[in-house]
């Protein structure tokens, strides 16, 4: 009996084993035999999963060569008689496997890397909550599943057998190499660089280059974004001209419960409000406010190092503090002994900045309060945020387009203050704002400048 066309569902629990964890020379070759060229197999035989992709010079946009190389390879091979395809999908039939917006895009970038290293043309196909091309369209790579490719997606999904994947070894079945079409749905990203190929993290310039080579907003999303942004921020405010906040808290349509992201809700809100005020009033980006996600070693100690840098600034010589006070027009008598100079550089009673700060959150109560004008200097849309997967049937396509409007407004800000969220990270990668920080950094910065002390336990 002919074996069915294989579909892989790669969940986080199985991902570590995709290429094996061993450093034994040739381990990658055996797993990818017949996929890499002879030259690439020779390089991989050293046991270095990334040997075939050495450090490369960046182009004028700061993008690595491998992104442009795959774009060109994709263009040349799509539609060829011998082309093989990897289709990233989100299907109503398997809706439980398709998470929220940020998770979906993270998984689709992972699928693209997998397609690249296994010489497949990447394609994407959604039928929930609507076709993907309702929200984004091809940028430099045509990833649409079109009739000329002769790929019957409903038929492919009927053959889904992902639960049969050997999660003990994570090995690709032989059919992965022989079948013309393979499908995948996942929210995994190769953050640990376990796959052969270029090394890059989710929130990185390389990831941003790949993201923008794949997707751009549709005309409907762009038009709606410009309309909402003009209503909120005023006429003439364009890309890269405003500060934005994204707070992942839970309590959006389809997810009416708290989401814990490692910070207390009200303290997080206070912290980001002060950070946003600092940026909106033209404050210089402080290296101590750079988030862990896009800088540092990623070893979990960057937060502590940033706090120490901030604490050092608080204890600068008194003469320098007095000079800072003169520049800001304040005095030590108004700030208190515990925060001489430092508090005046971060705290300010001026909330009449133009344009106002865009504050987006999934929390329906906070979102409504901001839209009603209860936060001076901050604005937000009145429409309710919807979870892409959990309201796939209950919300209209227009309501889901509004979710992409939120995403694009965040992506096109000048300074982005974000929370531990796939949605925030997707905005970061899409727009690559000139300055950014996260909620925990803002909380620590605010606490330090009010009390002169590093928060306990930090």
């Amino acid at each position: 009996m002919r074996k069915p066309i294989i579909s892989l569902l790669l969940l986080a629990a199985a991902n570590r084993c995709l290429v094996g964890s061993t450093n034994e020379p040739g381990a990658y070759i055996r797993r990818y035999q017949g996929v890499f060229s002879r030259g690439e197999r020779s390089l991989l035989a050293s046991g270095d999963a990334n040997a075939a992709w050495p450090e490369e010079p960046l182009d004028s946009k700061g993008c690595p060569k491998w992104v442009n190389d795959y774009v060109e390879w994709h263009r040349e091979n799509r539609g060829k008689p011998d082309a093989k395809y990897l289709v990233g999908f989100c299907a109503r039939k398997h809706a439980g496997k398709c998470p929220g917006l940020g998770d979906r895009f993270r998984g689709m970038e992972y699928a693209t890397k997998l397609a690249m290293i296994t010489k497949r043309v990447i394609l994407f196909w959604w039928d929930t909550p609507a076709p993907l091309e309702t929200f984004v369209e091809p940028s430099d790579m045509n990833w649409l599943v079109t009739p000329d490719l002769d790929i019957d997606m409903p038929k492919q999904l009927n053959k889904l057998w992902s639960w049969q994947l050997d999660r003990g070894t994570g090995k690709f079945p032989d059919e992965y190499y022989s079948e013309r079409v393979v499908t995948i749905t996942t929210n995994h990203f190769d953050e640990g660089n376990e796959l052969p190929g270029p090394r890059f993290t989710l929130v990185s310039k390389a990831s941003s280059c790949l993201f923008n080579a794949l997707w751009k907003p549709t005309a409907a999303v762009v038009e709606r974004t410009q309309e909402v942004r003009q209503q909120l921020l005023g006429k003439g405010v364009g890309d890269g001209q405003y500060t934005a906040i994204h707070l992942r808290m839970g309590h959006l349509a389809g997810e009416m419960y708290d989401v814990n992201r490692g910070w207390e809700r009200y303290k997080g809100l206070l912290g980001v409000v002060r950070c946003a005020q600092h940026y909106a009033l033209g404050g210089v980006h402080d290296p101590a406010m750079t988030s862990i996600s896009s800088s540092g070693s990623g070893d979990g100690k960057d937060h502590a190092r940033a706090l120490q840098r901030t604490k050092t600034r608080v204890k600068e010589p008194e003469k320098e503090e007095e000079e800072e006070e003169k520049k800001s027009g304040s005095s030590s008598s108004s700030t208190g002994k515990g925060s001489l100079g430092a508090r005046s550089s971060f705290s300010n009673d001026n909330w009449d900045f133009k344009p106002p700060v865009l504050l987006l959150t999934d929390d329906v109560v906070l979102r409504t309060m901001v839209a009603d004008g209860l936060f001076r200097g901050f604005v937000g849309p009145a429409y309710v945020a919807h979870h892409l997967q959990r309201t796939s049937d209950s919300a209209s396509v227009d309501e889901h387009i509004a979710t992409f409007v939120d995403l694009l407004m965040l992506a096109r800000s000048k300074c982005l203050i974000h929370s531990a969220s796939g949605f925030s990270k997707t905005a970061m990668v899409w727009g690559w704002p000139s300055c950014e920080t996260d909620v925990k950094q803002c909380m620590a910065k605010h606490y330090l400048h009010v009390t002169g002390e590093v928060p306990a336990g930090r």
Side-chain angles (χ1 to χ4, degrees):
M1 182 177 178
R2 183 180 179 275
K3 293 182 179 179
I5 295 176
I6 305 304
S7 295
L8 297 178
L9 173 61
L10 303 176
L11 297 175
N15 282 303
R16 285 196 58 83
C17 302
L18 280 174
V19 296
S21 58
T22 178
N23 290 322
E24 177 190 352
Y28 300 108
I29 307 307
R30 290 194 296 276
R31 198 63 55 82
Y32 287 91
Q33 189 70 33
V35 178
F36 291 108
S37 68
R38 180 178 299 176
E40 289 167 334
R41 288 199 298 270
S42 176
L43 285 170
L44 288 171
S46 65
D48 182 355
N50 306 102
W53 280 268
E55 291 294 326
E56 298 172 331
L58 306 180
D59 65 13
S60 59
K61 297 180 180 179
C63 295
K65 186 175 181 293
W66 60 262
V67 173
N68 300 319
D69 286 348
Y70 184 65
V71 167
E72 186 62 30
W73 184 91
H74 189 281
R75 186 180 297 117
E76 291 175 354
N77 285 273
R78 177 190 162 98
K80 280 188 174 182
D82 60 345
K84 294 181 180 180
Y85 300 90
L86 179 62
V87 186
F89 74 92
C90 269
R92 182 167 281 103
K93 181 176 180 179
H94 306 285
K97 307 302 181 183
C98 288
L101 187 150
D103 288 340
R104 291 191 188 195
F105 277 98
R106 179 173 65 227
M108 289 193 291
E109 276 207 76
Y110 172 81
T112 304
K113 180 178 179 181
L114 182 58
M116 180 182 69
I117 66 174
T118 55
K119 300 295 190 293
R120 288 182 177 269
V121 174
I122 187 66
L123 303 173
F124 299 110
W125 184 90
W126 288 11
D127 70 359
T128 179
L132 179 58
E133 53 269 31
T134 305
F135 313 111
V136 292
E137 59 188 34
S139 182
D140 298 330
M141 287 182 268
N142 183 3
W143 41 259
L144 294 170
V145 179
T146 50
D148 60 295
L149 299 180
D150 192 26
I151 298 175
D152 187 340
M153 282 303 297
K155 185 178 180 180
Q156 294 288 334
L157 298 178
N158 284 336
K159 296 178 178 180
L160 185 73
W161 66 273
S162 56
W163 50 88
Q164 297 179 22
L165 180 65
D166 184 350
R167 296 184 180 179
T169 64
K171 290 181 179 179
F172 289 127
D174 293 339
E175 288 84 355
Y176 182 86
Y177 306 105
S178 60
E179 292 293 345
R180 175 174 174 265
V181 179
V182 177
T183 57
I184 178 175
T185 182
T186 181
N187 67 346
H188 177 69
F189 187 83
D190 191 28
E191 198 74 48
N193 290 292
E194 293 143 351
L195 290 176
R199 301 182 67 88
F200 63 100
T201 56
L202 177 60
V203 182
S204 64
K205 182 60 178 177
S207 177
S208 179
C209 292
L210 182 59
F211 191 104
N212 284 281
L214 288 166
W215 303 291
K216 61 182 179 181
T218 60
V221 171
V222 171
E223 182 179 349
R224 179 78 179 277
T225 300
Q226 292 174 338
E227 176 186 332
V228 173
R229 192 167 63 182
Q230 180 174 307
Q231 291 173 352
L232 296 175
L233 302 179
K235 293 182 178 180
V237 178
D239 296 350
Q241 296 180 339
Y242 56 96
T243 297
I245 299 170
H246 178 245
L247 286 177
R248 178 75 166 105
M249 304 170 78
H251 287 275
L252 74 163
E255 188 185 74
M256 297 306 292
Y257 52 83
D258 287 350
V259 173
N260 185 356
R261 286 295 185 261
W263 43 269
E264 295 180 49
R265 294 162 68 88
Y266 86 95
K267 289 183 179 179
L269 178 60
L270 290 176
V272 299
V273 162
R274 279 299 186 188
C275 273
Q277 182 201 40
H278 171 80
Y279 286 140
L281 291 174
V284 178
H285 182 56
D286 185 343
M289 291 166 62
T290 299
S291 72
I292 299 172
S293 63
S294 63
S295 67
S297 63
D299 59 5
K301 299 177 182 178
D302 300 287
H303 188 209
R305 284 193 286 265
L307 285 172
Q308 187 57 46
R309 290 196 299 269
T310 308
K311 189 173 182 180
T312 301
R313 285 188 177 85
V314 174
K315 293 185 176 181
E316 286 174 349
E318 193 170 309
K319 183 177 180 180
E320 293 185 13
E321 291 175 343
E322 292 173 355
E323 290 177 356
E324 286 296 318
E325 290 166 2
K326 291 178 181 178
K327 290 179 182 178
S328 61
S330 62
S331 65
S332 58
S333 60
S334 62
T335 60
K337 184 177 180 180
S339 54
L340 284 175
R343 185 179 178 187
S344 64
S345 68
F346 188 69
S347 300
N348 195 301
D349 291 331
N350 182 7
W351 299 96
D352 295 321
F353 29 81
K354 299 294 182 181
V357 171
L358 178 67
L359 197 165
L360 299 177
T361 179
D362 44 11
D363 185 283
V364 64
V365 175
L366 177 58
R367 195 175 177 103
T368 301
M369 293 173 69
V370 175
D372 288 344
L374 298 183
F375 285 76
R376 183 178 170 186
F378 295 78
V379 295
Y383 55 79
V384 177
H386 287 76
H387 192 280
L388 207 61
Q389 186 267 326
R390 296 190 177 103
T391 60
S392 58
D393 294 322
S394 60
S396 67
V397 172
D398 191 59
E399 287 173 318
H400 285 301
I401 285 178
T403 299
F404 279 82
V405 169
D406 276 9
L407 182 69
L408 192 57
M409 287 195 294
L410 292 173
R412 295 191 169 176
S413 63
K414 176 183 178 181
C415 294
L416 177 58
I417 302 168
H418 50 88
S419 48
S421 160
F423 197 90
S424 284
K425 291 178 180 179
T426 302
M428 280 280 298
V429 170
W430 201 357
W432 208 244
S434 59
C435 61
E436 56 85 24
T437 191
D438 62 25
V439 177
K440 287 187 177 181
Q441 294 289 341
C442 289
M443 289 172 61
K445 185 83 171 178
H446 177 55
Y447 187 90
L448 184 61
H449 280 75
V450 170
T451 67
E453 300 176 356
V454 174
R458 297 293 183 186

